[in-house]
């Protein structure tokens, strides 16, 4: 794999850490800025809003610029947003810093996925995309815990200074290692928007929203499930979340390799596995050992879909994939938000902390159904003699 992928992975590691680390620092931020913990929690909502809305708008504005220049610009925004957060004198400035940083989240990951796929031969595209997403997965295992530790021992602003440093290293790495891709075709905004009229692109976006929504419907409420249902002490949650993160990394890596061999079958198997695992979690949650094993498997199955989903959308948006790739990241965030909301409704309705697992299983089943539909729509039509039509698209 090209060294440029390392720079992209480091950058997505910083971006992923920025998203997740605030969860472990809410109390510190609330105490220091004299706001409630729930008020500090809006920093997460503000970030999500920036990802969903800001990313596509930012990429649309720079769609004609060279991809390397756009990636460098996005990392510049990342550095500036975290610098603003580190220097923020109050809550409003910190919120502004979070939103500024969030605008580069989906746009960078989406564009980096397109660039990564272009850097390698066709048989390694999903693995290249997996490397980009590996940064975010590793952020769950290493980045967020490290950032939380730094913030708790040196003040929450120190965490944002750490992110500024990571962003600066990523910026330099991209500047030095990423080739200019002179042969890459840059489509105009009209062509980029036009790909959303392709049914397979829309189905791919829906698959992404349902798939990631399924995983995070359960994961959003996993801490109270593990303490209230499984019986783990609160101190065991952090190590268990590391196990979950390890599952994410393993699933992302394996999913990328398998998707390069057979993309649609890999997605179908991973989504079928996720459906079963989420449904089973309602039962295994009552046993400490089984719950821990299920948590790892859930992360692995959930992120085994990620490289294939992004590769699928990029391939179906051929000719103008940049905006579609960015919207894919936005779709995943919409799915995550919707899944967390639906899971919360079931808990509020009195069905208990295991109920989000059933909601997640239904969402995973819906993603599986869409995957099968997408594959069926792509089947080569038969001629009257029973031979495949020569111009029918191949299943991928």
């Amino acid at each position: 794999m090209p060294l440029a992928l390392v720079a992209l992975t480091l950058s997505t590691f910083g971006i992923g850490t920025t998203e997740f680390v605030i969860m472990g620092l809410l109390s510190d931020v609330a105490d220091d800025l004299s706001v409630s913990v729930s008020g500090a929690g809006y920093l997460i909502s503000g970030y999500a809003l920036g990802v969903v809305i800001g990313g596509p708008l930012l990429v649309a504005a720079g769609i004609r610029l060279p991809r390397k220049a756009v990636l460098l610009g996005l990392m510049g925004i990342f550095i500036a947003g975290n610098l603003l957060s580190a220097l923020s004198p109050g809550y409003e400035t910190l919120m502004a810093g979070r939103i500024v940083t969030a605008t580069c989240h989906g746009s960078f990951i989406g564009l980096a996925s397109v660039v990564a796929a272009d850097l390698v031969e066709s048989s390694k595209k999903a693995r290249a995309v997996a490397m980009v997403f590996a940064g975010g997965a590793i952020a769950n295992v290493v980045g967020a815990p490290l950032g939380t530790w730094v913030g708790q021992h040196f003040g929450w602003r120190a965490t944002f200074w750490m992110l500024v440093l990571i962003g600066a290293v990523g910026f330099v790495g991209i500047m030095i290692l990423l080739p200019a891709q002179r042969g890459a075709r840059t489509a105009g905004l009209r062509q980029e928007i036009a790909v959303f009229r392709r049914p397979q692109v829309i189905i791919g976006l829906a698959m992404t929203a349902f798939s990631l929504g399924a995983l995070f419907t359960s994961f959003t409420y996993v801490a109270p499930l593990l303490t209230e249902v499984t019986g783990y002490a609160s101190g065991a949650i952090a190590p268990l979340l590391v196990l979950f993160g390890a599952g994410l990394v393993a699933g992302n890596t394996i999913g990328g390799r398998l998707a390069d061999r057979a993309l649609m079958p890999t997605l179908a198997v991973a989504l079928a596995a996720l459906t079963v695992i989420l449904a089973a979690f309602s039962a295994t949650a009552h046993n400490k050992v089984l719950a821990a094993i299920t948590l790892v498997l859930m992360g692995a199955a959930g992120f085994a879909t990620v490289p294939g989903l992004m590769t699928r959308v990029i391939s179906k948006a051929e000719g103008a994939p940049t905006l579609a790739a960015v919207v894919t990241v936005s779709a995943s965030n919409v799915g995550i938000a919707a899944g967390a909301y639906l899971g919360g409704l079931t808990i509020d309705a009195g069905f208990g902390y295991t109920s989000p697992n059933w909601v997640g299983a239904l969402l995973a089943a819906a993603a599986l159904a869409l995957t099968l539909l997408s594959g069926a729509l792509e089947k080569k039509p038969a001629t009257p003699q029973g031979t495949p039509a020569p111009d029918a698209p191949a299943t991928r």
Side-chain angles (χ1 to χ4, degrees), residues 16-17 57 81 86 134 158 161 164 193 196 203 217 251 295 305-306 308 314 345 350 384:
T17 301
L57 293 177
W161 283 112
V164 169
I193 294 175
F196 294 103
I203 294 174
T217 297
L295 195 62
T305 66
V306 171
I314 290 174
L345 287 181

Side-chain angles (χ1 to χ4, degrees), residues 91-118:
Y91 176 80
E92 292 78 11
T93 312
L94 178 57
M95 176 65 82
R98 292 286 291 169
I99 293 175
V100 168
T101 309
T103 60
C104 80
H105 182 118
S107 46
F108 185 92
I109 294 175
L111 182 55
S113 298
V114 174
V115 170
D118 283 347

Side-chain angles (χ1 to χ4, degrees), residues 316 377-381 389 391-395:
K316 293 306 166 188
L377 291 175
E378 207 169 51
K379 293 289 186 183
K380 295 182 179 181
D391 58 346
T395 300

Side-chain angles (χ1 to χ4, degrees), residues 298-319:
M298 183 176 77
F303 252 53
T305 66
V306 171
L309 289 168
M310 179 61 81
T311 304
R312 178 71 173 176
V313 173
I314 290 174
S315 68
K316 293 306 166 188
E318 184 179 5

Side-chain angles (χ1 to χ4, degrees), residues 143-218:
L146 174 61
T148 299
W149 183 87
V150 169
Q152 290 173 344
H153 287 79
F154 303 101
W156 61 267
R157 286 181 175 83
T159 299
F160 289 100
W161 283 112
M162 179 189 80
L163 292 166
V164 169
L165 178 60
I166 293 173
V169 175
F171 182 95
V172 173
I174 292 170
M175 183 171 59
I176 295 174
L177 299 175
L178 185 65
Q181 291 187 291
R182 293 183 178 84
R185 176 180 177 271
T186 303
L189 183 58
R190 181 174 297 178
Q191 289 83 3
E192 293 281 348
I193 294 175
V195 303
F196 294 103
R197 293 200 294 264
R198 302 177 188 177
Q200 290 285 21
V201 171
I202 298 302
I203 294 174
L205 294 174
M207 287 160 55
T208 302
F210 279 107
S211 177
L212 273 297
L215 176 63
F216 282 90
T217 297
S218 175

Side-chain angles (χ1 to χ4, degrees), residues 294-385:
T294 305
L295 195 62
V296 176
L297 294 176
M298 183 176 77
F303 252 53
T305 66
V306 171
L309 289 168
M310 179 61 81
T311 304
R312 178 71 173 176
V313 173
I314 290 174
S315 68
K316 293 306 166 188
E318 184 179 5
T322 304
L323 188 58
V326 175
V327 173
T328 302
V329 181
S330 294
S332 69
N333 279 269
V334 170
I336 290 169
Y341 174 74
L342 292 173
L345 287 181
T346 63
I347 294 174
D348 291 340
F351 293 106
Y353 287 117
T354 61
S355 57
N357 297 323
W358 287 108
V359 178
L362 290 174
L363 293 176
L368 174 59
L370 286 170
T371 300
L372 297 176
L373 171 63
S374 181
L377 291 175
E378 207 169 51
K379 293 289 186 183
K380 295 182 179 181
T383 64
Q385 290 76 25

